[in-house]
Structures are given as structure tokens and as C-alpha cells.
Amino acid sequence: YEKDINLDIALLVGNQLKSYGYKVVYTRTSDSVSWSNDNTEDLQMRCDLAKKKNADLFVSIHLNASEYEANGYEIYCDFTNKNTVKLSNSILKQLDQLNYSTNRGLLDTNETPLYVVKNNKVDAILIEAGFISDDSDLYYLKNYTNNVATAIAKGIKKSLNE
């Protein structure tokens, strides 16, 4: 399931960031969550948690799917926010080094609004790490999860250190 791979990547990214000395707060660490069944309320609770914890960044990790032939990774961010554009480009550069799929680039959440980016008081991005509907992407994401997580963590670290 997408949610299982997402969670694995997120936990590994968090562990890597902790090893760099960063404080990490997760919106979930298992499937046992107390979020609302209402999608908008659920997403708002995640945004509220980032603000409550005084987070510097909000990174949402997902996997894409398509009924059409598609592969690759992409990152959604607010193009008017220099911090999130820099962060996103830094992560994309790290993912590029893995050579596991196609870099589909940055997508502007002003054109394609995503709740956790658009309604967040914290600098936020949403990473689509690959397509679970593509056999090659899925194979890499399942078998080399640590590589993807390390690339994301390195991208975050490099962006914060610049």
C-alpha cells in the first residue's frame, strides 16, 4: 500500500534528520492515529500540529498513481516562497543522483492547490516520490526505500545549511 511505503520513507527521513541533530515531529508514526474521518479536518489538524510545534518546515511524503503510463518524482511547493523552492530543488538534486526514475520537476501549488501546502502557516512542500502504478518506480521504492529517504534528508539538510 502507498501508506506503508510513505510511512517507511517518512520514518527513515526523520531518523536521518535526527542523526544530523534536527528535531523531528511526525504527523503519524503508525496507522493508529486519532485524525478525523473528514478529509479537510484531518489535513487541517496536520497543519495545526506543525504550527503548534513551532516547526520550521512541513514535509509531506506521498506516492503518485496513474491509470496512464507515468513515472517519476516531483515536488509541490509555493513558487512565491523562496524557502520552499530552494528546499524542493535541493531535494530534487539529491533524488536525481539515485537515477531510479524521471525528475518531473517542481509544481506550483498556486496553480494546483494542495491543502497541506496552501493552508499551512509553516513553510510546506509535498513530495511525490514516484508512481506506485509504475513497476520500475514501485520496485525501487519498495526495495531501496532507505536510498530515497536518505536523499530527501540530505536535500533538507543542504537547504537548511545554505
Side-chain angles (χ1 to χ4, degrees), residues 100-130:
Y100 74 95
S101 197
T102 305
N103 180 342
R104 296 167 57 96
L106 298 183
L107 296 159
D108 187 1
T109 54
N110 292 301
E111 309 242 339
T112 308
L114 297 175
Y115 195 95
V116 294
V117 176
K118 198 74 178 157
N119 297 292
N120 217 315
K121 303 291 187 224
V122 172
D123 286 347
I125 65 170
L126 188 144
I127 301 168
E128 294 281 4

Side-chain angles (χ1 to χ4, degrees), residues 15-142:
N15 286 336
Q16 188 71 47
L17 290 172
K18 287 177 190 176
S19 79
Y20 296 150
Y22 296 109
K23 182 180 177 196
V24 175
V25 175
Y26 300 95
T27 58
R28 72 180 182 105
T29 56
S30 73
D31 279 341
S32 300
V33 292
S34 59
W35 303 119
S36 168
N37 286 332
D38 178 275
N39 194 45
T40 302
E41 281 181 27
D42 170 51
L43 296 172
Q44 187 59 52
M45 288 174 72
R46 294 167 193 256
C47 294
D48 293 346
L49 178 64
K51 181 69 175 161
K52 179 181 173 185
K53 295 292 185 175
N54 201 27
D56 294 316
L57 299 172
F58 183 96
V59 178
S60 188
I61 298 171
H62 296 268
L63 302 179
N64 247 328
S66 176
E67 61 188 64
Y68 306 105
E69 197 171 307
N71 72 328
Y73 47 90
E74 59 198 12
I75 301 179
Y76 288 87
C77 65
D78 177 351
F79 279 17
T80 64
N81 182 325
K82 291 178 184 173
N83 291 334
T84 61
V85 170
K86 181 177 91 169
L87 171 65
S88 299
N89 279 318
S90 181
I91 293 169
L92 286 176
K93 283 180 187 172
Q94 294 300 312
L95 290 171
D96 286 345
Q97 292 178 18
L98 300 177
N99 288 318
Y100 74 95
S101 197
T102 305
N103 180 342
R104 296 167 57 96
L106 298 183
L107 296 159
D108 187 1
T109 54
N110 292 301
E111 309 242 339
T112 308
L114 297 175
Y115 195 95
V116 294
V117 176
K118 198 74 178 157
N119 297 292
N120 217 315
K121 303 291 187 224
V122 172
D123 286 347
I125 65 170
L126 188 144
I127 301 168
E128 294 281 4
F131 279 78
I132 58 172
S133 53
D134 178 77
D135 290 341
S136 180
D137 277 9
L138 180 59
Y139 177 84
Y140 193 87
L141 291 162
K142 282 174 54 179

